[in-house]
Amino acid sequence: MKSLEPPRHHPSLEGLEQHPWGYKLCAMAQQLLFESGDVRITSSIAQFGGTSYQIANIGSVRAGMYKTRRPIVIMIFILGLVFLIAAFADRTLEIAAAGLAFRSAELALSGVAIMVGAGLFQLICPRRNYTLILKTSSGDVQAFTSRKKELVVKVKQAVEQAFIASRANT
């Protein structure tokens, strides 16, 4: 019959904490620098969701911005295209009734106006996403993306602080 006593301390288990049900790895000299949602930065590890990076393996960090299309703009552009197609479909019926010519011209003009408006809106107000890019030995990695610029800047600053803390510990 097994004893319910916890195992005894062994020198090869340095850095492990003893509990009645076994051993647990202790964070040795890790200082929490930033935590928000699924992002956690300590002095030795940067964790983004389920992916972790050792600070010592990160060569540099930078924040970037890229523009993406807004789904609503794409839908409005398609609506304008539908108006334009409907105008050309009506144009074929112009021979049957002279009154349809004016209506199809209005429909075509509306379609073009909607498409131009959607395009201008996309150019003036694109959706901006901010990303944190880590330079590792395997290349550049987009580790974190958010629409909030301030959050990405704070994460970048925390990784830079981790660089400083890890260099001080070595």
Side-chain angles (χ1 to χ4, degrees):
M1 185 143 140
K2 271 189 162 182
S3 170
L4 293 178
E5 277 184 43
R8 295 180 187 222
H9 184 70
H10 190 273
S12 67
L13 300 176
E14 199 62 39
L16 296 176
E17 196 174 278
Q18 190 173 358
H19 286 282
W21 55 88
Y23 287 94
K24 172 180 125 176
L25 183 62
C26 296
M28 295 181 4
Q30 284 196 16
Q31 176 186 5
L32 181 63
L33 302 171
F34 181 85
E35 188 171 25
S36 176
D38 62 349
V39 177
R40 188 168 195 252
I41 311 293
T42 68
S43 58
S44 60
I45 293 177
Q47 186 175 20
F48 305 96
T51 307
S52 298
Y53 301 91
Q54 289 185 359
I55 296 297
N57 293 339
I58 299 172
S60 65
V61 62
R62 72 176 193 264
M65 188 264 302
Y66 62 95
K67 299 174 183 176
T68 60
R69 290 183 180 86
R70 294 176 179 264
I72 189 74
V73 172
I74 294 170
M75 291 189 312
I76 291 171
F77 186 85
I78 291 171
L79 178 68
L81 191 60
V82 168
F83 275 37
L84 199 58
I85 291 170
F88 284 117
D90 275 351
R91 192 107 167 115
T92 59
L93 299 173
E94 182 179 324
I95 300 167
L100 286 177
F102 185 68
R103 187 172 146 239
S104 66
E106 286 178 344
L107 201 56
L109 188 61
S110 297
V112 169
I114 289 171
M115 291 169 61
V116 167
L120 286 174
F121 183 72
Q122 178 62 35
L123 284 174
I124 295 169
C125 301
R127 174 181 283 167
R128 290 176 174 84
N129 285 335
Y130 300 92
T131 184
L132 185 75
I133 302 165
L134 304 176
K135 186 175 193 101
T136 64
S137 59
S138 61
D140 288 354
V141 178
Q142 287 188 359
F144 178 66
T145 302
S146 175
R147 288 191 203 162
K148 299 176 184 176
K149 181 180 181 179
E150 300 82 27
L151 178 61
V152 173
V153 168
K154 285 180 183 178
V155 172
K156 178 183 177 280
Q157 290 171 345
V159 172
E160 289 169 344
Q161 286 177 337
F163 287 159
I164 295 166
S166 71
R167 303 299 189 265
N169 288 341
T170 56

